[in-house]
Amino acid sequence: MADPPGCCRPCATCLLCLYSCQWITAKKEKRRGLRTTKCDCSWFLFLFCVFLFTLVWLYFTVIILNDFHNFNEFIFKQRKLWLDWSLVLLIATAVLITYSAVLLVLALCLQLCGQPLKLHWLHKTLLILTALLVAAAFTGLGIKWAEEWRSARISLQATGPFLHIGILGGMTLLAWPLASFIYRTHNTGLKVFLLLVYCAAMIALYLAPLGITSPCIMEESQLPPKPALVGHRGAPMLAPENTLMSLRKAVDCDVQVFETDVMVSADGVPFLMHDEELTRTTNVQAVFPERAALNSTAFNWTDLQQLDAGTWFLERRPFPTVQSLSAGDRNQVTKQRIPSLEQALEAAKQSNISIMFDLRPENHSDYQSFVNATLDVILQSGIPLQQVLWLPDGFREQVKQQAPGIQQVYGRKRLQNEKEPLLHVNLPYQDMSSEEIRQYRQDNISVNLYVVNEPWLFSVLWCSGVSSVTTNACQVLKEMNRPIWLLPSSTYLMIWIVVDCASFLVILWAFVLLKKCSQRRWPVESETDVLLTKINSLMQE
């Protein structure tokens, strides 16, 4: 097997050694008569599929980073171990995709150099393990975190046009090794099959934009106003969650609503706390080790005031932004205590922002007394009632009667036979489509979606017309003056046509150029075959 022009023998030998894990020079390869068998082709196909499989998982990994803090909290509740698992996931995914990508590049280069694709058994084993690991990751995602499949569908509205261009570029480059293989092989059936599959895939890609939809494909004049920001437990990337410092940082980020969670102490004092236990966000294990596993509502207010609600933030670093805090902010963090609802209402009133909260735990036997205690604090605080957004469903009618000025926010979509029209809804961002958001907007229903941290997701919801979003990353979204991308439909159409035409010309060039190279490559071999055939015929006569 002659080396193609431009492929030096040492380079071909090096590629073969990396792929086959053994030192085989070009001369030895000829003497041993190594050729690419059907089994080798099957392993190359498996390698290609594993690479695509891992690439899809990499995409999912990037998408689920928006919600990964929830996963970290879930693991802490189960194992009492805090770790930024997103970093572990990214490193593992990067290793898998790099390994499969390097092997694939080696295989394609070997094909262009006319060398056999003899994949070593060690690579085969590692590829099978890679496929199993990624399959297990997808299975776990489907079982424990099924809503992320809906997140992936939403992400395609942000990435669809660019994924199309990237996939089209990759398939266009694939024309070179494909053409090299077709001109080298003598199996007509295989040639026809590969060409048909490749042509079908390219036609589908050329027409794919017909099925790509995104709310950000619009004229700039049609862009809705920027969604208002709701601070999820304040500004938890800049200060310990559900503290007065977090509220102040949220105000600095221009949030319009401070979202929090309220519990009621054993002696009837409403305070801010998300978890039912105090272990994650306080030093309760050091102060009250024998009571650390108790529900937050089992502590009286005096006990709660003894707890440090800030130092954990510096020790566990729930977000990467913690390490960039100034010395003054770090000092403030160590001084944070669990705030009462009264203190939070006073701070919200002074900052002229609204406050939205859940009352937890909903299944508590004294839940009605919790509602009464919370209402008493709100009415006595002097805060304008329109600045209070009430989320709990329990005893909602009682709240409407005692404090009709409080804004009622519902954690569900509207019903067909709704007795009272909904004015505010608060839902996970996965639960509403762009069409539903537009319809609610037309009907003057305020839609708040949570939790939105990544700019790509914020951009999609902005283009869809959502009223507000609850976020951990208010300092990031505050700086966005427009969506990440916004394309008029005419511009997108022009990009589509230009990219498709460029791809077609490159593919055509690849097949024509490699056909000429193949004709130059084996003229001597063809003449030799003819001469040997004639000699054989004469000898038989």
Side-chain angles (χ1 to χ4, degrees):
M1 185 181 296
D3 293 331
C7 183
C8 65
R9 184 168 295 174
C11 290
T13 300
C14 183
L15 291 172
L16 191 60
C17 293
L18 290 172
Y19 191 78
S20 303
C21 291
Q22 52 185 332
W23 187 262
I24 306 175
T25 64
K27 288 184 178 180
K28 287 183 180 179
E29 175 263 322
K30 282 186 176 181
R31 288 200 302 266
R32 292 171 58 176
L34 294 179
R35 294 292 184 272
T36 301
T37 64
K38 291 182 179 179
C39 182
D40 296 327
C41 292
S42 299
W43 276 108
F44 172 76
L45 181 61
F46 180 70
L47 167 61
F48 186 70
C49 292
V50 169
F51 170 73
L52 293 181
F53 196 33
T54 313
L55 196 62
V56 172
W57 173 249
L58 175 64
Y59 179 80
F60 267 84
T61 301
V62 174
I63 296 306
I64 65 179
L65 288 179
N66 180 83
D67 307 315
F68 221 87
H69 186 71
N70 296 338
F71 180 77
N72 292 338
E73 290 185 0
F74 171 77
I75 294 296
F76 183 85
K77 289 178 182 178
Q78 300 296 319
R79 303 295 180 186
K80 302 304 179 185
L81 171 66
W82 184 268
L83 183 66
D84 187 1
W85 293 99
S86 63
L87 186 60
V88 178
L89 181 67
L90 283 173
I91 292 174
T93 303
V95 170
L96 295 179
I97 192 68
T98 302
Y99 173 69
S100 56
V102 168
L103 272 186
L104 183 61
V105 170
L106 286 174
L108 294 176
C109 291
L110 284 171
Q111 175 60 36
L112 288 173
C113 291
Q115 298 298 314
L117 301 179
K118 295 293 180 180
L119 187 63
H120 193 266
W121 66 265
L122 179 61
H123 287 319
K124 294 176 182 178
T125 304
L126 291 176
L127 281 176
I128 293 173
L129 288 176
T130 299
L132 291 176
L133 281 173
V134 176
F138 273 117
T139 303
L141 186 70
I143 295 174
K144 293 295 186 180
W145 215 359
E147 62 268 21
E148 291 306 312
W149 294 106
R150 289 178 287 166
S151 301
R153 286 198 294 270
I154 295 173
S155 73
L156 292 176
Q157 298 179 0
T159 61
F162 308 101
L163 282 178
H164 168 250
I165 294 174
I167 295 172
L168 190 60
M171 290 295 291
T172 301
L173 293 176
L174 194 61
W176 292 86
L178 178 64
S180 174
F181 178 80
I182 286 175
Y183 289 134
R184 184 176 294 112
T185 186
H186 301 290
N187 189 329
T188 305
L190 183 59
K191 287 182 181 181
V192 173
F193 174 75
L194 290 176
L195 281 174
L196 287 177
V197 171
Y198 185 73
C199 289
M202 294 309 300
I203 291 173
L205 283 173
Y206 288 150
L207 299 178
L210 293 174
I212 294 177
T213 59
S214 173
C216 291
I217 299 178
M218 63 163 61
E219 301 293 334
E220 189 153 3
S221 59
Q222 299 174 323
L223 182 65
K226 180 179 178 179
L229 300 181
V230 177
H232 185 228
R233 310 174 198 170
M237 289 188 177
L238 305 176
E241 64 180 59
N242 285 334
T243 61
L244 296 180
M245 179 182 179
S246 189
L247 187 151
R248 290 192 294 269
K249 289 291 185 181
V251 172
D252 293 340
C253 291
D254 297 334
V255 303
Q256 295 187 12
V257 181
F258 171 61
E259 186 276 337
T260 186
D261 305 276
V262 174
M263 293 193 176
V264 179
S265 67
D267 50 350
V269 178
F271 63 97
L272 307 192
M273 181 60 58
H274 175 267
D275 297 0
E276 293 190 7
E277 295 181 8
L278 300 167
T279 50
R280 183 174 65 87
T281 57
T282 71
N283 63 338
V284 66
Q285 289 177 318
V287 180
F288 303 110
E290 72 284 353
R291 301 167 59 194
L294 295 179
N295 192 287
S296 303
T297 58
F299 292 80
N300 60 44
W301 181 240
T302 304
D303 292 340
L304 292 172
Q305 283 296 280
Q306 298 180 44
L307 301 178
D308 179 351
T311 303
W312 71 272
F313 185 70
L314 300 176
E315 294 174 347
R316 292 181 183 146
R317 298 185 178 183
F319 297 97
T321 49
V322 176
Q323 57 191 0
S324 61
L325 291 180
S326 66
D329 284 342
R330 289 175 178 272
N331 184 50
Q332 283 294 317
V333 166
T334 59
K335 297 178 180 179
Q336 296 305 301
R337 294 291 181 267
I338 298 175
S340 66
L341 177 60
E342 181 182 3
Q343 293 171 327
L345 290 171
E346 181 62 27
K349 182 172 66 173
Q350 293 179 359
S351 303
N352 195 29
I353 64 170
S354 299
I355 182 169
M356 176 170 66
F357 61 86
D358 254 325
L359 186 57
R360 306 161 66 92
E362 296 87 347
N363 57 353
H364 199 282
S365 57
D366 292 331
Y367 193 73
Q368 186 170 7
S369 65
F370 291 176
V371 172
N372 294 334
T374 303
L375 272 177
D376 289 342
V377 170
I378 292 173
L379 294 174
Q380 294 172 11
S381 67
I383 189 173
L385 293 184
Q386 64 269 22
Q387 287 182 227
V388 179
L389 285 72
W390 184 275
L391 279 172
D393 284 326
F395 304 98
R396 191 183 289 273
E397 293 303 319
Q398 173 188 334
V399 175
K400 289 180 180 179
Q401 293 176 3
Q402 294 186 18
I406 291 178
Q407 298 190 59
Q408 298 295 325
V409 183
Y410 295 83
R412 61 172 176 83
K413 296 181 182 180
R414 60 182 173 182
L415 306 175
Q416 290 184 349
N417 301 319
E418 197 76 55
K419 295 181 180 179
E420 296 181 16
L422 301 186
L423 297 179
H424 307 276
V425 295
N426 180 63
L427 294 166
Y429 71 87
Q430 300 100 330
D431 286 0
M432 292 202 77
S433 65
S434 297
E435 293 74 19
E436 289 176 315
I437 293 173
R438 292 193 188 99
Q439 187 58 53
Y440 275 50
R441 178 181 174 82
Q442 291 176 4
D443 297 340
N444 293 321
I445 300 176
S446 174
V447 177
N448 180 70
L449 300 182
Y450 62 89
V451 173
V452 178
N453 300 318
E454 298 295 328
W456 68 263
L457 179 56
F458 184 67
S459 298
V460 170
L461 299 178
W462 184 346
C463 295
S464 300
V466 73
S467 307
S468 58
V469 298
T470 300
T471 180
N472 292 323
C474 58
Q475 77 282 3
V476 175
L477 304 188
K478 170 191 174 183
E479 302 300 326
M480 293 182 62
N481 297 318
R482 65 192 310 275
I484 291 178
W485 66 272
L486 196 67
L487 283 178
S489 55
S490 57
T491 304
Y492 181 54
L493 178 62
M494 182 182 66
I495 294 174
W496 171 21
I497 294 173
V498 169
V499 169
D500 282 4
C501 291
S503 169
F504 178 77
L505 291 175
V506 170
I507 292 173
L508 190 62
W509 180 45
F511 275 85
V512 171
L513 183 63
L514 288 176
K515 183 176 182 180
K516 291 182 179 180
C517 290
S518 66
Q519 289 173 347
R520 294 174 185 173
R521 193 179 304 164
W522 292 294
V524 177
E525 292 183 9
S526 299
E527 292 174 3
T528 304
D529 291 341
V530 172
L531 181 60
L532 290 173
T533 302
K534 289 182 178 180
I535 293 173
N536 187 42
S537 299
L538 288 172
M539 290 180 66
Q540 289 178 353
E541 292 177 358

